[in-house]
Amino acid sequence: MKRRARWTFAAALAVLLLALVFLLPPELRGLSFMLRAAGLRGATAESLARLDTVPFTVSQLQVPTRHGPVRARLYQPAERKGRLIVLTSGVHAAGIDEPRLVKLAGDLATGGQPVLTPEPPDLLRYEITPRLPDVIEDVALWAVGQPSLTPDGKLDLFGISFSGGLSVVAAGRPALRDHVAAVLSFGGHGELSRVLSFLCTGVQADGVRRRPHDYGVVVILLSAADRLVPPEQVEPLREGVRTFLHASHLTLVDGQQAEARFAEARGKEADLPEPAATLLHLVNTRDVPALGARLLPLVKDFAGDPSLSPERSPPPRAPVYLLHGTDDSVIPAIESTLLARALEPFTQVHLRPTPLITHAEMDRDVDALEALRLVRFWSGLLGE
């Protein structure tokens, strides 16, 4: 969730009144969480946001996986009121220190659910690889082996952005699927090559044209660099791309630092030989059409491993919750719709496209009824 939802006062007040009239007591838990996540102010809102909440502690862990130990953080509520949630972030260099992830984990933990946030190294490098679902699976299996974390041997898997689809993949694997109680894909994908094709062309799977966010196509370049430039240029190009991506994230918190990092990325462009220099120039100038045209022929190969796409992997047995912003320009909302259709023959699916969020972030003004639908979505998920 990038920024606090900018709810209008009238819409917020209407949501509160509707909630008090129509919500059942279990659904007030979802309302309380939503108000915490939105950061809504006012005596009534803040009172409901604190409804049935508890303090929590935070500890640092190292969790073993088949690809080596990974850093993780455990948010432990003083009074447990639900299952452990394994919450995996999107592609971001800040990993488990990313402020939006920290806030989301805290908002869940204060509601009484322990939260474990693993830090797969590939996400720190802005890379989408088959190692990622392995790490999510291994962290979850490790947690299942800790009776203090999973006394009934069950947990929830929550994933944000590309980690949403990959959490669905992990939840369907034979060793883990009987231990997963619910899965959330928040702005995630169903089939990776479809998403990458959209990022390169601006054409969604349903034929709708939408301007793709430059962030997504730049991440493709980062992973596909070894297919586009000579070996000695791969790492210098990737370093320039990572500098640009880091600058892009800084624009959310510190414009001055962001501009300094953008200037650094432009400086790295000047130091590169061809063809790496041209590719980094396309990144720095946000020329998505030109960059996408170069990357499109590589999409099928890059996304070829079935473990990168939940639609091409064994389905979970647990209920799957799909939350997606209708105007998402990184992973289009049609991805969750198509994934829901693919999973419905095998498990219960709850699909909620909403204008309240864009790409795994709450940052839109919405009407009261739409907010109420989202409250009920979260109530169902947290009450599984």
Side-chain angles (χ1 to χ4, degrees), residues 21-225:
V21 172
F22 293 111
L23 291 183
L24 299 173
E27 293 177 312
L28 292 176
R29 184 181 184 191
L31 174 64
S32 178
F33 167 75
M34 278 283 295
L35 293 174
R36 291 195 299 276
L40 201 63
R41 298 300 179 219
T44 304
E46 291 181 17
S47 177
L48 284 170
R50 294 192 298 269
L51 183 69
D52 205 25
T53 57
V54 296
F56 62 90
T57 59
V58 180
S59 57
Q60 312 299 321
L61 301 173
Q62 289 285 323
V63 179
T65 78
R66 74 193 76 174
H67 300 296
V70 299
R71 181 181 175 224
R73 183 170 289 144
L74 178 65
Y75 298 75
Q76 188 71 270
E79 180 186 349
R80 186 177 184 137
K81 300 180 182 181
R83 283 183 302 273
L84 174 74
I85 297 169
V86 175
L87 170 64
T88 308
S89 73
V91 180
H92 199 294
I96 60 175
D97 297 320
E98 203 281 313
R100 295 163 295 176
L101 181 74
V102 171
K103 183 181 185 304
L104 176 57
D107 289 337
L108 291 165
T110 199
Q113 289 191 250
V115 180
L116 180 64
T117 56
E119 189 175 75
D122 289 353
L123 293 179
L124 301 178
R125 296 189 292 266
Y126 298 95
E127 296 176 11
I128 303 168
T129 73
R131 291 186 294 268
L132 291 172
D134 292 347
V135 170
I136 296 170
E137 177 189 14
D138 291 350
V139 169
L141 287 171
W142 174 84
V144 167
Q146 312 298 313
S148 62
L149 296 179
T150 55
D152 63 351
K154 294 270 191 177
L155 49 71
D156 294 341
L157 290 183
F158 288 13
I160 299 172
S161 187
F162 287 103
S163 290
L166 299 178
S167 292
V168 177
V169 171
R173 292 187 167 179
L176 183 60
R177 62 188 176 200
D178 290 333
H179 298 288
V180 178
V183 191
L184 168 67
S185 174
F186 189 173
H189 66 288
E191 209 283 327
L192 185 60
S193 67
R194 274 200 314 253
V195 178
L196 302 186
S197 294
F198 159 73
L199 291 170
C200 291
T201 65
V203 181
Q204 298 181 170
D206 54 0
V208 172
R209 290 187 174 274
R210 183 187 301 276
R211 183 176 180 178
H213 198 291
D214 60 90
Y215 165 87
V217 74
V218 171
V219 168
I220 303 174
L221 172 61
L222 192 66
S223 296

